[in-house]
Amino acid sequence: MTALRSFLATSAIALSSLTLCFGTVAQANPYDASMRDYLEAEVLLWVFDPIVIEAIREQNARHGTMPQAEIDSLDQQWRAEVGTGDQPLVDAVLGHPASDFLRARSTESAGAISEIFLMDANGLNVAATGPTSDYWQGDEAKFQDTFSVGPGAVHVGDVEFDESTQAYLGQISVSVTDPDTREVIGAVTIGLNADMLY
C-alpha cells in the first residue's frame, strides 16, 4: 500500500509538471484547465487501481505486439458488430470485470463522466463503459499523445456541443503506468461533460 501511495504521489507530481510544461501551449478549448483539474483530482484516484492495471497487463500478455493487419481485422470486426445482436468481440470488452469497475466510477461521477475506456499497448480496447465506434485507438491522438509519449502524458481533446445530450462533451486521456515496472502499459480516455467541471 505504501508503494502504491508513493507511486500515485510520483504520478501526480509528474502529471502536474507535465501540465505546467504544456499548459501554456495552445489551449485546445476553454475547458482545458478544468478538464486537467478533474483528471488530477478524480481520475488519478482510481486509474492505478489493481483491476485496471491487471486488465491491461493481461491483454498485453495475450496479444503481444500485434501485426497491423491483425489489428485492422479486429477493428473491422468490432465496427461490424456494434449495434447488432451478435457481437462477441464487443461483449468480451463490455463484459470484462474492469468494465464494471469503470461503469461504477462513471456512476459515482454523478454525470460528469460520459464514458471511460482502457487501451492496451497496441491501442486496442481492454474495457469500456459502453461500445466505442472502433476497437483500435492506436491511430488517434488520445493514444499517440499519451502511450507513445510516456508516464504522465496527457491529451485533452476538443470540447463540442452534443445535440443528443444538450451538453458540451470532451475527452481527456492519460498514459497508464505499471506501478511495479514504472513502464507505460496502456492508456485511458475519459469522456467528460465539461459544463459539470466548474
Side-chain angles (χ1 to χ4, degrees), residues 2 4-5 13 29-30 74 107 110 120-121 127 129 134-135 153 179-180 184:
T2 304
L4 180 58
R5 280 196 186 119
I13 291 167
N29 61 69
L74 286 170
T107 299
D120 67 10
T129 53
D134 49 8
Y135 183 52
D180 294 339
V184 176

Side-chain angles (χ1 to χ4, degrees), residues 7-22:
F7 175 72
L8 290 174
T10 303
S11 299
I13 291 167
L15 183 60
S16 297
S17 300
L18 198 67
T19 300
L20 290 173
C21 290
F22 295 104

Side-chain angles (χ1 to χ4, degrees), residues 19-172:
T19 300
L20 290 173
C21 290
F22 295 104
T24 54
V25 179
Q27 297 266 324
N29 61 69
Y31 300 95
D32 187 281
S34 59
M35 291 172 74
R36 289 175 184 272
D37 288 346
Y38 189 86
L39 177 72
E40 281 192 59
E42 301 294 335
V43 176
L44 290 184
L45 296 177
W46 54 259
V47 79
F48 297 106
D49 188 279
I51 195 167
V52 170
I53 300 301
E54 197 53 40
I56 298 174
R57 281 176 179 162
E58 286 175 2
Q59 185 154 306
N60 283 343
R62 188 168 66 251
H63 286 167
T65 302
M66 294 180 79
Q68 190 60 49
E70 191 172 346
I71 289 173
D72 292 343
S73 177
L74 286 170
D75 192 49
Q76 289 172 1
Q77 178 185 342
W78 177 281
R79 290 167 184 258
E81 287 181 9
V82 172
T84 68
D86 183 26
Q87 48 181 31
L89 183 57
V90 175
D91 289 343
V93 169
L94 299 184
H96 194 290
S99 293
D100 292 333
F101 175 82
L102 298 180
R103 283 188 283 269
R105 303 295 76 77
S106 179
T107 299
E108 289 169 1
S109 78
I113 295 176
S114 58
E115 66 176 339
I116 312 169
F117 51 93
L118 302 179
M119 297 159 271
D120 67 10
N122 292 298
L124 297 171
N125 290 348
V126 174
T129 53
T132 55
S133 58
D134 49 8
Y135 183 52
W136 184 50
Q137 319 299 330
D139 59 341
E140 299 179 34
K142 63 174 65 87
F143 183 78
Q144 294 173 350
D145 292 349
T146 57
F147 178 84
S148 302
V149 173
V154 176
H155 172 76
V156 181
D158 293 333
V159 172
E160 298 176 348
F161 187 73
D162 182 74
E163 291 288 346
S164 63
T165 61
Q166 292 291 296
Y168 285 94
L169 305 179
Q171 294 180 333
I172 189 164

